[in-house]
Amino acid sequence: GAVVSQHPSRVICKSGTSVKIECRSLDFQATTMFWYRQFPKQSLMLMATSNEGSKATYEQGVEKDKFLINHASLTLSTLTVTSAHPEDSSFYICSARTGAGPQHFGDGTRLSIL
Amino acid sequence: SQQGEEDPQALSIQEGENATMNCSYKTSINNLQWYRQNSGRGLVHLILIRSNEREKHSGRLRVTLDTSKKSSSLLITASRAADTASYFCATAPSGAGSYQLTFGKGTKLSVIP
């Protein structure tokens, strides 16, 4: 149980393109979802926390207009990287939890901006 | 900010040996968790230890927590090649809003067959 599906697993696109990443909880209702960014050989940096039906809470230094997060249902959150540039290339990972339970992670999305 | 710091950053051992990874943190915590990440994949939750616990076991995993030293260790016994991965500790702060996790930089473990 507690499976989180993240899609796509890899994206390669041109600079200026907007990219949407989906995070789905398959067998549980996720009241809270988290989006992380991970640089090569680095740890996970929390970008934002989203609760179903409300606006996401962004961490300091994360541009809200750059990284749009929508958590419209209890099983789906999306992260849209708008007008992506090469510096946005990274590994993005989502996680989901229900109530006070543990976080369950997706398999990540490798984003490469040319 | 990242408060979990693992050491060593990289560890290479022979199959069958034990692997020990350490984690230090700075603030008060509700719990500390260890995760495993295979290359290019998401994180898999291994074990959670609460602030009032000192030791916990799960299969070949043994985790200790010393809140006075703000440190934790993860021991993997009788390592296997399949244990090759990066291991991260993550802390959940005490108090309200303790659902957020702060991850350390990780230890990259290589188990040589």
Side-chain angles (χ1 to χ4, degrees), chain A residues 19-96:
Chain A
V19 178
K20 179 184 283 188
I21 303 170
E22 292 187 348
C23 181
R24 294 180 185 272
S25 57
L26 298 186
D27 51 1
F28 68 101
Q29 292 186 327
T31 50
T32 306
M33 285 188 170
F34 303 86
W35 287 95
Y36 296 85
R37 182 173 180 175
Q38 185 179 30
F39 291 102
K41 299 182 181 180
Q42 296 287 320
S43 185
L44 278 72
M45 300 291 293
L46 179 65
M47 298 175 65
T49 302
S50 73
N51 293 297
E52 186 265 338
S54 62
K55 289 184 178 180
T57 301
Y58 290 81
E59 294 300 299
Q60 191 174 8
V62 178
E63 299 176 59
K64 300 177 182 181
D65 296 332
K66 176 76 172 176
F67 300 99
L68 302 179
I69 292 173
N70 183 282
H71 191 168
S73 77
L74 284 172
T75 59
L76 174 65
S77 176
T78 60
L79 167 67
T80 301
V81 183
T82 60
S83 187
H85 291 283
E87 59 266 27
D88 298 322
S89 297
S90 192
F91 192 57
Y92 293 87
I93 305 177
C94 73
S95 71

Side-chain angles (χ1 to χ4, degrees), chain B residues 6-90:
Chain B
E6 287 97 335
D7 79 87
Q9 291 186 356
L11 179 61
S12 184
I13 60 174
Q14 294 288 329
E15 200 166 29
E17 294 181 339
N18 295 342
T20 300
M21 289 160 269
N22 302 296
C23 169
S24 61
Y25 58 92
K26 297 177 182 175
T27 61
S28 296
I29 62 171
N30 177 284
N31 64 74
L32 185 145
Q33 304 175 36
W34 284 91
Y35 288 83
R36 167 199 168 114
Q37 183 182 34
N38 284 22
S39 181
R41 302 296 297 272
L43 274 71
V44 174
H45 183 264
L46 296 177
I47 198 166
L48 180 152
I49 187 165
R50 302 188 190 285
S51 60
N52 61 352
E53 298 176 307
R54 292 297 166 257
E55 188 171 312
K56 205 162 183 179
H57 297 254
S58 177
R60 293 185 294 113
L61 305 180
R62 173 176 169 256
V63 169
T64 63
L65 179 64
D66 187 335
T67 52
S68 66
K69 295 181 180 178
K70 291 186 167 56
S71 67
S72 173
S73 68
L74 171 67
L75 167 68
I76 303 175
T77 60
S79 64
R80 304 167 182 168
D83 294 330
T84 295
S86 290
Y87 292 82
F88 294 90
C89 69

